[in-house]
Amino acid sequence: MEHKGTVGLVTERLLLRRFEFDDAPAMYRNWAGDEEVTKFLTWPTHKSEETSERVLREWIRKYDQPDFYNWAIVWKETGEPVGNISVVSMNEKAEQVHMGYCISRSLWHQGVTSEALKETIRFLFEEVQAGCVSARHDTRNPNSGKVMEKCGMKYEGTLRHSDWNNQGICDASHYSILREEYEAMKKEAG
């Protein structure tokens, strides 16, 4: 893969950019401090803005690494971060990246997460030269799977009792898209 690091990306309604330290209040208010948003995530709900500040400090330090990909999802209309999307793990030899994302509850069911995921998939295939982009979700959170499907990812199967999150041990549904599938979809869209 040809790593580029977390570079700015733009979609119709969103800016995907590096986090800044000043994003902590919006991060805490819009998603990280909301137990409903973090219900199926593998990191705990932030108890305060200070927790968000600590997390951001760590993320910002990692931006020097060319294989670190973690974007603030910024709603263009307000200029405020409303979520994040990142590569949460990577298998360099297999050219495979695994995505994670979360978005403010106020923007659920509006296609925002799909818009962000589509653009990061494009970037990872076209610019980083990944061979496979994958993601997974707790089976009790089917809307996350709908996001993956909207982005052309295919359901691979469910592994029982294979993952954990803030709800405890869970079954995980796995999805992926291969570079050649992405290229065929792009060609089809014309």
Side-chain angles (χ1 to χ4, degrees):
M1 292 191 285
E2 299 171 18
H3 293 296
K4 312 283 185 194
T6 306
V7 300
L9 304 172
V10 180
T11 70
E12 183 181 337
R13 300 179 294 172
L14 308 173
L15 299 173
L16 304 179
R17 63 158 171 81
R18 291 179 174 199
F19 278 97
E20 300 164 359
F21 191 71
D22 292 346
D23 293 333
M27 178 183 188
Y28 176 72
R29 180 179 59 254
N30 290 332
W31 74 93
D34 185 334
E35 290 187 358
E36 192 62 26
V37 172
T38 60
K39 186 176 185 177
F40 297 110
L41 299 181
T42 58
W43 48 266
T45 307
H46 294 187
K47 299 297 182 208
S48 66
E49 275 186 33
E50 289 75 28
T51 305
S52 297
E53 288 172 359
R54 272 195 310 278
V55 169
L56 286 180
R57 201 172 290 116
E58 181 63 29
W59 288 352
I60 291 166
R61 230 187 329 261
K62 291 182 179 178
Y63 281 133
D64 289 340
Q65 301 171 15
D67 63 349
F68 181 70
Y69 300 99
N70 190 354
W71 292 272
I73 301 171
V74 177
W75 188 243
K76 279 184 184 177
E77 198 172 291
T78 63
E80 184 168 86
V82 293
N84 82 288
I85 187 164
S86 63
V87 172
V88 294
S89 65
M90 183 181 315
N91 182 331
E92 192 79 40
K93 286 184 180 180
E95 299 178 338
Q96 186 266 349
V97 295
H98 190 80
M99 303 299 295
Y101 47 78
C102 59
I103 194 83
S104 171
R105 194 179 345 173
S106 67
L107 293 171
W108 285 0
H109 310 294
Q110 296 180 43
V112 176
T113 310
S114 300
E115 190 172 325
L117 182 58
K118 278 181 187 171
E119 178 58 16
T120 55
I121 287 172
R122 183 207 63 75
F123 170 76
L124 291 165
F125 284 139
E126 293 183 11
E127 299 185 39
V128 179
Q129 302 301 312
C132 176
V133 176
S134 66
R136 70 183 188 284
H137 70 87
D138 183 318
T139 56
R140 295 168 292 186
N141 184 20
N143 288 325
S144 189
K146 290 177 184 174
V147 167
M148 297 169 200
E149 288 172 354
K150 278 186 192 176
C151 296
M153 298 177 100
K154 294 183 179 173
Y155 173 69
E156 293 184 339
T158 296
L159 298 178
R160 298 179 300 156
H161 204 84
S162 65
D163 209 352
W164 60 270
N165 58 36
N166 291 326
Q167 300 302 298
I169 296 171
C170 65
D171 298 345
S173 293
H174 292 255
Y175 290 76
S176 71
I177 182 170
L178 303 177
R179 185 184 317 148
E180 50 268 24
E181 293 167 337
Y182 166 79
E183 289 170 355
M185 276 180 19
K186 190 176 162 188
K187 186 182 264 187
E188 211 172 273

